[in-house]
Amino acid sequence: MITGKNYIGKELSAKGSDTYHTFDPKQNSDTEWVFHQATKEEIDAAADKAHDAFQVYKMFSGAKKATFLEAIADEIEALGDPLIQAYTKESGLPEGRANGERGRTIGQMRAFATLLKEGSWVEATIDTAQPDREPMPKIDIRKMLLPIGPIAVFGASNFPFAFSTAGGDTASALAAGCPVIVKSHPMHSGTGELISSAIIKAAERTGMPDGVFSNLNSSGNEVGQQLVMHSKIKGVGFTGSINGGTALYRMANDRKEPIPVFAEMGSINPVIILPSALAAKGDDWAKQYAGSIMLGAGQFCTNPGLIIGIKSTGLDGFIATLGKEIEKLEPSCMLHPNIHKNYEKGKKELSVQGGTDTVAAYESNVAPNVAQQKVLSVNGSNFLKNPKLHQEVFGPFSIVVRCADASELQQVLDKLEGQLTGTILGNEEEIKKYAKIVDALQGRVGRIIFNGVPTGVEVCPSMQHGGPFPASTDSRFTSVGTSAAKRWVRPVSFQNWPAESLPDALKDENPLGLSRIVNGKHTDAKI
Ligand code: NAP
């Protein structure tokens, strides 16, 4: 049942008088659910509980924390249809997408549980003492990764499950040993409350301390900002707009004790289509890209917003087919009237820039909040002159840039800001022939793709989801895949520490059977 209350640890609480509704974009009306915005007192209570819970939770073994994550996955599954109904109502996304995203969220939780049970991710590194070393004896030093403390998580509007309440940020922080306080997304607070109830049930069932998880409602910036500024919060995970992410990043850096903010923000995900791809499969790529641009009403951070090629009849053919194919596709409902309004505004603004031509524009009548797709094209020289054309338009929108030659294509890449992904469509010989272009692309992205589409982000240890600013605030880390846990830990060295008091990961006997680096060599043996 959706109560509209906050979870302060396991307590449901509604002390404040400020309330808001979530919105059903398909019905174009408020939902029946009323949410109580968290008060300052409730924020403090959640932070105090998280602080206390941390002292206990951080001491739990990986295996015990894994039972918690597995229980979360089970409890989310047990929520059944009402969860799917809340998701579709608050997001306008179809049931198939809801089911797929729930599967991904549950799979993600279980993947972190597996990581914890194996345990080697803590990077135990041991340099044993050499008492006889000349001219100075060498002391025993052992290092591993330890959790940083309570984390504030800002869920994404476009992934109510996989990047929100129990999404990658929450799963990775809990796996790392950090309690989590979620700032619920105002567009899907009902879905968030149901998921929170599953996390709280799982915490109680597996003996986790009260305060290991809290969920605060808010519509407006205040609650999130108070959370980021709270002295008991030690890190922030965020997915959303460049404005929101950078505002929170700056605030966290201005704190008396600055804390890390891992924000995943905007990206236009450049795609370079090389001559062989145009010659061999131009029409196929055009069809695939029409689908990729339209996926989820274009509301993916990996949406291909920029396609770049060298002027040729092949490129003209590609552009014509892309236009034809994308106009055939049915437009779909966006997440919220504000996102739809932003989409329409961005689309209009870019469409009137000098030198742009319309390739495709869906113009039939549509229901409220439905995004009509659009594709523009522009010459390389006009694109280079106009930074407005480099901006993300969040929705089913893309620009094809027609470059005069490879050198202009390289200049276009050099002008782009950091991106989550970059794609090359071509053949293996072209990867060598256009090595400078490939290198320029690689320098700007977190994931470089050969002959594929950027939408669809596999959750696995080798995934990098994060790129140079403004794609994310720290390109050294990923927000997808099990490596995401590395954002919430810091290395600590134990020097000359009594053997018995060392963490299990660093003990001579290697009781957890971890893969470690001992005196410079990878090994899972005892010392
Ligand atoms: P958003 O406006 O950045 O909001 C994300 C979360 O951050 C919300 O919970 C919001 O809370 C909070 N927030 C935003 N600015 C804040 C600030 N200055 N101080 C404190 N809290 C702040 O993103 P959104 O609602 O998901 O979508 C809006 C736009 O973001 C979209 O139109 C799109 O352009 C972009 N977006 C991009 C991606 C991507 O992956 N590239 C994904 C999603 C959205 P409140 O609303 O309660 O303040």
Side-chain angles (χ1 to χ4, degrees), residues 154-158 183-187 218-225 228 238-245 247-248 251 264-267 299-302 335 338-340 342-343 392-394 420 465:
F154 290 73
S157 56
N158 56 344
K183 204 296 265 177
S184 182
H185 199 287
M187 293 182 201
S218 102
S219 175
N221 294 341
E222 217 172 299
V223 170
Q225 295 185 352
V228 169
F238 171 96
T239 306
S241 64
I242 295 179
N243 284 347
L248 295 174
M251 287 181 71
E264 190 253 281
M265 305 174 289
S267 191
Q299 300 165 116
F300 282 121
C301 43
T302 51
L335 295 159
N338 289 345
I339 289 192
H340 182 251
N342 283 344
Y343 171 64
E392 179 185 42
V393 176
F394 194 65
L420 290 170
H465 192 65

Side-chain angles (χ1 to χ4, degrees), residues 25-335:
K26 279 204 164 144
Q27 297 302 321
N28 201 29
S29 64
D30 280 346
T31 68
E32 66 271 34
W33 303 310
V34 183
F35 298 91
H36 288 261
Q37 184 150 306
T39 61
K40 165 99 175 46
E41 189 189 343
E42 286 169 321
I43 297 167
D44 285 343
D48 287 345
K49 275 195 176 185
H51 173 83
D52 293 346
F54 180 52
Q55 314 315 319
V56 179
Y57 187 61
K58 69 179 179 186
M59 305 307 283
F60 286 169
S61 67
K64 188 163 167 83
K65 291 195 286 267
T67 61
F68 176 34
L69 299 193
E70 281 164 348
I72 295 174
D74 296 344
E75 294 293 346
I76 292 174
E77 256 175 348
L79 287 170
D81 289 345
L83 177 67
I84 298 298
Q85 284 151 12
Y87 173 110
T88 52
K89 185 183 254 199
E90 290 186 324
S91 68
L93 294 168
E95 195 178 319
R97 159 76 191 268
N99 284 321
E101 200 184 322
R102 179 178 58 182
R104 176 184 166 141
T105 307
I106 288 167
Q108 199 161 257
M109 268 304 159
R110 293 193 174 129
F112 279 106
T114 304
L115 180 85
L116 292 182
K117 284 190 275 188
E118 197 284 326
S120 303
W121 76 279
V122 297
E123 295 179 4
T125 309
I126 299 174
D127 292 293
T128 54
Q130 294 171 22
D132 302 330
R133 190 181 71 172
E134 293 293 347
M136 295 272 286
K138 177 171 174 283
I139 38 161
D140 186 285
I141 304 190
R142 302 175 183 223
K143 182 169 82 171
M144 68 178 291
L145 302 174
L146 292 173
I148 57 175
I151 304 302
V153 169
F154 290 73
S157 56
N158 56 344
F159 279 92
F161 289 154
F163 283 85
S164 284
T165 320
D169 286 347
T170 297
S172 59
L174 292 176
C178 299
V180 167
I181 302 178
V182 168
K183 204 296 265 177
S184 182
H185 199 287
M187 293 182 201
H188 49 72
S189 300
T191 308
E193 187 189 326
L194 290 176
I195 294 274
S196 298
S197 71
I199 300 176
I200 294 296
K201 254 194 199 162
E204 292 191 290
R205 180 149 79 73
T206 55
M208 297 297 131
D210 186 20
V212 73
F213 177 83
S214 290
N215 181 55
L216 304 178
N217 293 323
S218 102
S219 175
N221 294 341
E222 217 172 299
V223 170
Q225 295 185 352
Q226 283 175 16
L227 207 48
V228 169
M229 294 307 282
H230 203 289
S231 60
K232 287 181 175 160
I233 294 296
K234 301 298 175 191
V236 179
F238 171 96
T239 306
S241 64
I242 295 179
N243 284 347
T246 45
L248 295 174
Y249 177 79
R250 292 208 175 98
M251 287 181 71
N253 276 289
D254 284 346
R255 280 174 40 138
K256 192 165 163 218
E257 179 203 356
I259 54 169
V261 174
F262 297 99
E264 190 253 281
M265 305 174 289
S267 191
I268 51 172
N269 305 297
V271 176
I272 296 165
I273 183 155
L274 293 172
S276 77
L278 290 169
K281 290 182 61 176
D283 283 351
D284 286 354
W285 284 125
K287 268 184 213 158
Q288 282 196 49
Y289 269 83
S292 180
I293 293 165
M294 292 292 285
L295 204 65
Q299 300 165 116
F300 282 121
C301 43
T302 51
N303 191 56
L306 188 69
I307 302 172
I308 317 164
I310 299 169
K311 279 180 191 169
S312 62
T313 50
L315 184 63
D316 293 342
F318 169 84
I319 294 171
T321 311
L322 177 65
K324 236 177 15 218
E325 292 297 327
I326 205 164
E327 279 181 354
K328 280 189 210 160
L329 299 174
E330 271 308 306
S332 46
C333 185
M334 295 194 92
L335 295 159

